[in-house]
Amino acid sequence: MVVVNTEDDEGASTVSLKGTDMYFTRCKAGKKVDEPCKIYLCSKKGNAWGQPILLEIPGFEAAEVGYPALTPDDKTLYFSAEVEGGYGGQDIYMAQRVGTSNKFTKPINLGPKINTLGDEVFPTVRENGDLYFASDGHQGMGGLDIYKAVKKGKDFTGVENMKYPINSSFDDFGIIFNGKEESGYFSSNRKGGKGSDDIYSFVLPPLVITMNGAIYDTTNIDRKIPLKEAKITVLADGAVVKELTSNEKGQFTMQLQKDKVYEVKGEVSKDYFSNSIRFSTAKVEYDTVFNAILNLGRIPRVIELPNIEYAYDKADLKPESTVSLDGLVKTLNDNPNITIEMRAHTDFRGNDDYNMTLSLARAKSCVDYLISKGIKPDRLTAKGFGETEPKTVTAQMAKQYTFLKVGDVLNEEYINKITDFGKKEICHQLNRRTEFSVVSTDYGVEEEMKKAAEEEAAKKGNAVIQHSDSDDF
């Protein structure tokens, strides 16, 4: 190594995949020396290293450059430099190798996501393209901290501080990894070392993200019944990644990945509504457990939608009605094979024909809203009932309004017997309701079966073709 190590300062090196080329930083030593640091290339011949040569970096001939880092495929060189037009102190640049030569294209600054007014130095690139570097310009713990930037396409995502115990209030820099393992070494001048800058080893335990789920029959609101052998479909970023089956207690579990948007859907049979939940693991930094609870109810004859309100004596929906209707949109999306009938009712006050017309217009307003949210029109019908189906008091209603009894029918005769004006208005309000009923549970099933049959036939056709191609004639 005599030709590499001299009276000058040599350091911050990177070696090619085959170990035959080494790029390193050399800085002229001496009190009166005012020359910028440069990157040198030294090639190995047999067991000996050849004479180092100055690496030509287009446009950086007079610049201070150093801290070279090759990507594992040897095609890209990252380094730090302080030149006019940068973002502050030393910035990280990237240059592409020209063919198989030791020449590189004009470097590109990695931009403000990576570089700051401070110094960005000691870059390291892993096999997946993720960049690690040290910086005193990003918000950190003090001095130089080590940061990670994930490679996506040709760009890097937001910079992430590696946090304690990798970083400290002192200078932490020069991280390297043992291949694909989450372990390696870095340098630090933190307290407790042997001298100034010491080398430390580290192991990063894998981030464990777990989903513990349970699926219940909640038809009876006072009692949850676990649903065994329910089908659980897990999607990540819109693609199905796993299908699970709930156990005897209605439970299921699965390990998740970071930076994903998950949707978990539960299904039992045509007698139940399907249901789904969504959550993201984007901001997870520590071992985390997500509790995914899916509540499914049996499909009843009629379901009342709460808080559906209209403008007085009109069919225009009030803004607060959209919350309940948006819930219905989700139900329809979770259950793509059902069709429904929207049902609107009025109280008995007013002309019968007028009430019938008004209720139909209100049901149509709900249908129009659902269509505007992407629900297919042929899954929806609207029907107005006017005052023809007065509300029958349920246990829940009797619990909320103690003057009512379970089974009472809020018809005109019943309400006219009530002397309290406020109680009468409550009864009128209960009659003015919007509901939906499930008309069918096989919408699109025939089309799905036809499509599945065509795909199966296509697979068999491909199998025959592939078999024929392999025969010798």
Side-chain angles (χ1 to χ4, degrees), residues 34-252:
D34 188 20
E35 293 184 26
C37 296
K38 294 294 181 183
I39 295 176
Y40 285 77
L41 166 63
C42 187
S43 297
K44 195 174 187 180
K45 297 180 180 179
N47 293 324
W49 291 95
Q51 185 67 34
I53 58 173
L54 178 66
L55 183 67
E56 296 180 4
I57 304 177
F60 287 68
E61 291 79 7
E64 178 100 8
V65 296
Y67 310 105
L70 276 172
T71 54
D73 60 8
D74 290 342
K75 292 182 179 180
T76 308
L77 180 71
Y78 290 84
F79 63 90
S80 296
E82 185 172 358
V83 295
E84 186 177 347
Y87 289 90
Q90 296 189 69
D91 287 353
I92 297 178
Y93 290 79
M94 175 186 70
Q96 301 292 337
R97 187 186 295 277
V98 178
T100 59
S101 69
N102 285 318
K103 294 183 178 181
F104 291 85
T105 59
K106 185 176 180 180
I108 299 173
N109 189 299
L110 294 191
K113 288 183 180 179
I114 304 295
N115 296 313
T116 67
L117 291 172
D119 289 326
E120 280 68 48
V121 289
F122 293 100
T124 298
V125 187
R126 301 191 69 181
E127 289 186 22
N128 62 1
D130 290 351
L131 174 69
Y132 293 78
F133 61 95
S135 172
D136 60 8
H138 291 278
Q139 186 175 358
M141 300 175 66
L144 287 171
D145 274 4
I146 298 172
Y147 295 84
K148 173 186 177 181
V150 177
K151 186 70 177 293
K152 285 193 175 181
K154 296 182 179 180
D155 201 3
F156 289 98
T157 61
V159 172
E160 175 186 347
N161 188 294
M162 294 290 288
K163 300 184 178 64
Y164 179 84
I166 298 296
N167 289 319
S168 67
S169 59
F170 294 84
D171 287 333
D172 309 288
F173 54 94
I175 193 169
I176 58 172
F177 289 84
N178 294 318
K180 294 182 179 180
E181 297 179 12
E182 295 299 310
S183 63
Y185 303 87
F186 67 93
S187 297
S188 177
N189 64 357
R190 65 184 66 188
K191 289 183 178 181
K194 299 294 183 181
S196 179
D197 294 337
D198 288 341
I199 298 175
Y200 293 81
S201 65
F202 69 90
V203 176
L204 296 176
L207 182 65
V208 179
I209 308 175
T210 305
M211 174 181 65
N212 288 338
I215 184 167
Y216 297 101
D217 179 343
T218 54
T219 304
N220 185 339
I221 61 174
D222 296 322
R223 183 188 177 194
K224 282 188 173 184
I225 302 173
L227 289 169
K228 66 178 181 178
E229 298 182 356
K231 179 183 175 182
I232 310 298
T233 305
V234 183
L235 299 89
D237 296 336
V240 176
V241 292
K242 198 163 188 179
E243 290 186 347
L244 307 168
T245 302
S246 60
N247 63 17
E248 292 285 333
K249 297 181 179 180
Q251 299 170 338
F252 54 92

Side-chain angles (χ1 to χ4, degrees), residues 397-416:
M397 290 167 57
K399 187 176 181 180
Q400 184 177 1
Y401 305 107
T402 56
F403 70 94
L404 298 176
K405 294 181 180 180
V406 176
D408 287 346
V409 179
L410 305 183
N411 54 29
E412 184 173 358
E413 181 183 0
Y414 179 93
I415 294 176
N416 284 336

